[in-house]
Amino acid sequence: MATKSRRTVLYSSKGKKLYAVRDKTGKFKDIQQYSRAHAQDIKRGSSAEAKAKKAAKKPKKAAKKAAKKTARKTAVKKTAVKKTAVKKAVKRKAVKKAAKRTVRRAAKKQ
C-alpha cells in the first residue's frame, strides 16, 4: 500500500489558512486554501464511511422487500375477502328474490 502524501498547515500573507501537500522528497507539490481543500474532503468522504453507508442501506432494502411482500399478501387477502363478501351478498339477494316470487305466486293462486 502506497503512503499518502501528508499535508502541512500554513498561513498565507493575507492570513488565510493553507494546506501544503509535500511529495516524498519533502518539496511542496501543491498548495491550496484550507477552506476549499476541507470542503472537497468532506464531499468525497472516506472509504470507511462509504462502507458503513452501504452496510446500513442493505438491511433497509431487505426490510423494504419484506414490507412489499406483506403488503401484497394483505392486498390479496383483502380482495379475496371482498370477493367472498360480494358473493354472499349476491346469494342473499337471490334468495330474497326467490322468496318474494314464491310469496307472490302463492298469493296469486289464492
Side-chain angles (χ1 to χ4, degrees):
M1 190 170 132
T3 58
K4 291 187 177 183
S5 55
R6 297 196 63 185
R7 287 190 252 194
T8 308
V9 178
L10 305 168
Y11 288 89
S12 70
S13 60
K14 307 285 191 237
K16 281 275 190 177
K17 194 173 185 179
L18 303 174
Y19 261 157
V21 181
R22 298 176 187 265
D23 60 6
K24 288 179 184 176
T25 60
K27 293 181 182 177
F28 290 121
K29 188 169 85 174
D30 182 35
I31 296 177
Q32 295 179 292
Q33 279 188 4
Y34 174 85
S35 56
R36 290 182 183 178
H38 182 66
Q40 276 300 106
D41 287 346
I42 289 174
K43 283 179 190 173
R44 283 190 196 131
S46 69
S47 59
E49 285 174 346
K51 286 178 186 175
K53 258 188 184 179
K54 278 187 181 180
K57 281 185 181 179
K58 283 183 183 178
K60 287 181 183 177
K61 284 183 181 179
K64 282 183 182 179
K65 283 183 181 178
K68 281 184 182 179
K69 281 184 182 179
T70 54
R72 282 189 209 134
K73 285 181 183 177
T74 54
V76 169
K77 285 180 184 176
K78 284 180 183 178
T79 55
V81 168
K82 284 180 183 177
K83 284 180 182 177
T84 54
V86 168
K87 284 181 183 177
K88 285 180 183 177
V90 168
K91 283 182 183 177
R92 282 187 204 136
K93 285 183 182 178
V95 169
K96 283 182 181 178
K97 281 185 181 178
K100 283 182 182 178
R101 282 183 199 147
T102 54
V103 169
R104 285 182 199 150
R105 285 180 189 162
K108 279 184 182 178
K109 285 182 182 178
Q110 289 177 355

